[in-house]
Amino acid sequence: MIIFASRNQAGTVKKRKMSVPLLSDEFTPLSDNMKYGFDNEKYVRIQSEHIKERIRQFGDKLYLELGGKLFDDNHASRVLPGFEPDSKLKMLQQLSDSSEIIIVISAVDIEKNKVRQDLGITYDADVLRLKAEFENRGFTVSSVVITHYNGQVSADAYRARLERLGVRTYFHYTIEGYPFNVSLIDSEEGFGRNDYVETSKPLVIVTAPGPGSGKMAVCLSQLYQEHKRGIEAGYAKFETFPVWNLPLKHPVNIAYEAATADLNDINMVDPFHMGAYGTTAVNYNRDIEIFPVLDSLFEGIYGHNPYKSPTDMGVNMVGYCIYDDEVCRNAAKDEIIRRYYTALCKLADGMCNDNEVSKIALLMKQAGISTDDRRTTTAARERKENTGQESSAIELADGTIITASSSPLLGPSAALIINATKYLAGIPHSTKLIPQKMIEPIQRTKTSFLHGKNPRLHTDEVLVALSMESTMDENCEKALSMLPLLDGCQVHSTVMLSEVDRKIFKKLGVGVTCDPVQKL
């Protein structure tokens, strides 16, 4: 049975085991119950201070590699409750007058139409979206660099498209043996072969649609190229994950590995940091592997390397801003499970291989968790077992679980939104918000005129129907007004969602996982 929470007139929470919850008109907004573990205000303050300090260290030219997303870091906001997705942007906007942005995209990602999973758009489309978003916020996007170039026709076409739009575009080439063949990399046949990216501002922010795009290589190549021109530029990393001063197997760091399972990133203890300082710091394999290249470049440019370890390269104050470790641990564990389900569904759709799924399964074992730790998973599966229909479940911020099943009229996601908003609005479960006589014509249009195979209403169709009824029915109006309270809630479905249902939940701010079962 699912435990439903209701309030008596004194405001005391009562918990009852019921198939249909007893509801009252009183309701405490979910935001009052949200648990946070991260001090975002402190992070903005001390992170910006350290970035300014790093700029001063290198004088008039600093290439700042920006790891993660700049203004929509949803992964960080999920694993560090309290972290605002645009925190990095707020910091860097203070430096917008003296900075410019280079956006990096890999020719390999262009060729395979790699999709940014959180937005559902390809990396090449996201470059244009990023450019527009940055410029709307007062930043200068000076150019785009296409990395890992090896004559790909799709990369040539993309460059031509960008240049038609007036975007300066450069090629950086594949270097054989990268990152280990230091002598080749640090030569005219290595970085010297790359296009020189023309910049004019003291701070050059190098970012990309996602990991593995080649941001660091672009920065290092520019250091080489600038030195040839008599400019001694500096380099630093604005990284968020892994968090260097959290334990290697802390769930927040494991969640980063799960997020980059397709790249096979591996968190490691930084051996250079241990050797230099005798203390443990966490970094990841690609930074550790590339450090000898950076060391060689700095030796050639300055005669010494200002950094003793890959960790020294970074400016990452995240670990100092966690004030409730347990909240962040639990959030990170939820994220690992979410990534596992995402990989399972990608595998079912033929979008990844077994290795990605297997790696995240191993990470779940390391974190000591299983899919049963996601409460909505067990609730949805229990509902499916009891009803024989595909089902879904949502966990509200106060811990209440609401479930729904597929019916001849509604899909499980549409039914779940109805049930959840009724609960939040204090509307009795037995109350019908959308009359059957309104649903049936919609179904007829879908199947007879639009030749659809699934007559059940999706989430968008239910919300439109509720909106139409709200002009005549107070309950529908009350139910619609509860939609903002779903933000931050978690859902699990026993069937893979349609694209429209995924988008609706995303717009509502709901985190969704699905069993890898074919869509209805």
Side-chain angles (χ1 to χ4, degrees):
M1 302 292 287
I2 304 300
I3 297 178
F4 292 94
S6 60
R7 292 182 179 271
N8 60 20
Q9 291 182 347
T12 303
V13 175
K14 292 183 176 181
K15 291 188 177 179
R16 312 177 182 191
K17 288 187 176 181
M18 310 177 64
S19 57
V20 176
L22 293 180
L23 305 168
S24 70
D25 290 334
E26 292 189 66
F27 179 71
T28 301
L30 298 185
S31 58
D32 291 349
N33 298 303
M34 289 290 186
K35 293 183 179 179
Y36 298 103
F38 187 83
D39 188 336
N40 195 77
E41 183 177 341
K42 179 181 179 181
Y43 173 68
V44 170
R45 185 179 70 255
I46 67 174
Q47 183 79 359
S48 60
E49 289 171 355
H50 278 73
I51 290 174
K52 291 175 183 177
E53 180 182 323
R54 192 64 60 91
I55 294 171
R56 289 192 295 268
Q57 177 185 345
F58 285 102
D60 293 334
K61 197 72 174 183
L62 178 69
Y63 286 88
L64 182 65
E65 178 191 349
L66 182 69
K69 311 299 191 296
L70 181 53
F71 51 82
D72 49 5
D73 197 340
N74 296 313
H75 175 82
S77 67
R78 288 192 296 264
V79 301
L80 301 169
F83 183 100
E84 296 177 8
D86 63 349
S87 297
K88 300 172 187 175
L89 177 72
K90 291 177 179 176
M91 286 182 287
L92 293 176
Q93 278 181 318
Q94 303 173 29
L95 303 167
S96 61
D97 290 342
S98 59
S99 66
E100 60 186 285
I101 294 175
I102 295 173
I103 304 177
V104 178
I105 182 171
S106 169
V108 176
D109 292 338
I110 296 172
E111 190 171 41
K112 67 181 182 181
N113 289 316
K114 186 172 183 179
V115 173
R116 185 172 154 170
Q117 295 299 322
D118 56 346
L119 297 179
I121 61 175
T122 57
Y123 274 28
D124 57 351
D126 196 36
V127 166
L128 296 175
R129 183 190 71 90
L130 287 170
K131 181 178 182 296
E133 292 285 358
F134 291 142
E135 291 175 343
N136 287 340
R137 288 164 170 79
F139 288 96
T140 298
V141 178
S142 59
S143 59
V144 171
V145 177
I146 299 175
T147 61
H148 306 126
Y149 179 69
N150 194 28
Q152 295 93 335
V153 174
S154 56
D156 290 334
Y158 187 60
R159 181 180 190 175
R161 178 187 176 192
L162 291 175
E163 291 182 340
R164 285 196 299 270
L165 295 172
V167 181
R168 289 190 300 170
T169 309
Y170 302 90
F171 282 145
H172 280 195
Y173 296 85
T174 300
I175 301 175
E176 186 177 353
Y178 186 91
F180 302 108
N181 193 348
V182 176
S183 60
L184 174 60
I185 295 166
D186 189 12
S187 74
E188 284 300 291
E189 297 302 314
F191 283 152
R193 186 183 173 209
N194 290 336
D195 293 342
Y196 172 59
V197 182
E198 297 180 9
T199 60
S200 59
K201 301 292 183 70
L203 176 62
V204 182
I205 300 166
V206 181
T207 188
S213 299
K215 300 184 296 293
M216 178 183 283
V218 168
C219 292
L220 300 185
S221 179
Q222 283 296 105
L223 293 188
Y224 180 93
Q225 296 275 2
E226 297 280 23
H227 181 58
K228 285 173 54 179
R229 291 160 175 80
I231 301 170
E232 293 189 357
Y235 164 75
K237 284 178 65 73
F238 181 1
E239 197 73 84
T240 308
F241 302 106
V243 182
W244 68 274
N245 54 346
L246 289 181
L248 180 64
K249 297 303 179 183
H250 192 287
V252 168
N253 282 338
I254 295 177
Y256 168 76
E257 278 200 63
T260 56
D262 59 331
L263 299 173
N264 202 30
D265 278 355
I266 301 171
N267 293 341
M268 304 171 63
V269 172
D270 182 347
F272 298 98
H273 203 81
M274 177 64 75
Y277 305 106
T279 57
T280 299
V282 175
N283 215 299
Y284 72 111
N285 56 307
R286 283 188 285 132
D287 272 13
I288 292 171
E289 290 168 358
I290 199 68
F291 188 68
V293 179
L294 183 71
D295 189 61
S296 176
L297 281 173
F298 271 116
E299 286 287 343
I301 295 172
Y302 300 117
H304 73 285
N305 185 353
Y307 299 128
K308 291 184 171 63
S309 73
T311 302
D312 281 347
M313 297 189 304
V315 182
N316 186 0
M317 298 293 108
V318 165
Y320 294 109
C321 303
I322 295 173
Y323 66 84
D324 192 325
D325 185 65
E326 190 64 23
V327 167
C328 293
R329 282 178 176 272
N330 291 335
K333 289 176 181 179
D334 287 342
E335 175 68 3
I336 297 166
I337 297 172
R338 192 186 76 82
R339 294 284 183 176
Y340 177 67
Y341 277 115
T342 299
L344 285 175
C345 292
K346 284 170 61 180
L347 181 63
D349 278 339
M351 297 172 60
C352 75
N353 56 38
D354 292 329
N355 293 338
E356 186 173 337
V357 174
S358 298
K359 177 172 181 177
I360 302 178
L362 179 61
L363 293 173
M364 287 174 62
K365 288 184 179 179
Q366 291 178 7
I369 55 178
S370 71
T371 55
D372 289 342
D373 290 307
R374 185 170 172 85
R375 295 180 65 215
T376 52
T377 297
T378 54
R381 289 175 178 171
E382 181 180 319
R383 173 87 182 219
K384 179 179 179 178
E385 184 178 345
N386 291 337
T387 63
Q389 300 293 328
E390 298 297 351
S391 300
S392 57
I394 185 169
E395 181 176 6
L396 305 179
D398 62 0
T400 302
I401 299 285
I402 305 292
T403 64
S405 295
S406 177
S407 71
L409 300 178
L410 304 177
S413 296
L416 186 65
I417 286 181
I418 292 288
N419 288 355
T421 54
K422 283 198 296 188
Y423 172 82
L424 294 173
I427 300 169
H429 183 74
S430 57
T431 301
K432 300 295 183 183
L433 295 182
I434 306 174
Q436 186 169 341
K437 65 180 182 179
M438 184 178 186
I439 295 177
E440 288 176 344
I442 299 174
Q443 292 184 311
R444 187 163 56 251
T445 298
K446 291 178 66 174
T447 55
S448 299
F449 304 138
L450 301 179
H451 309 293
K453 295 181 180 179
N454 179 12
R456 300 179 184 89
L457 267 60
H458 289 296
T459 50
D460 60 334
E461 294 160 338
V462 159
L463 292 177
V464 169
L466 272 179
S467 300
M468 294 175 64
E469 285 292 301
S470 67
T471 61
M472 301 172 287
D473 189 321
E474 183 181 355
N475 281 333
C476 290
E477 184 178 4
K478 288 170 62 179
L480 282 173
S481 69
M482 296 296 107
L483 289 175
L485 299 178
L486 300 181
D487 189 9
C489 296
Q490 297 298 311
V491 163
H492 185 80
S493 170
T494 62
V495 64
M496 292 167 65
L497 301 188
S498 67
E499 183 178 358
V500 65
D501 286 342
R502 288 199 308 271
K503 287 183 176 179
I504 290 296
F505 277 127
K506 179 176 175 56
K507 289 177 180 179
L508 292 173
V510 175
V512 179
T513 55
C514 307
D515 287 327
V517 177
Q518 190 60 42
K519 305 176 184 68
L520 290 173

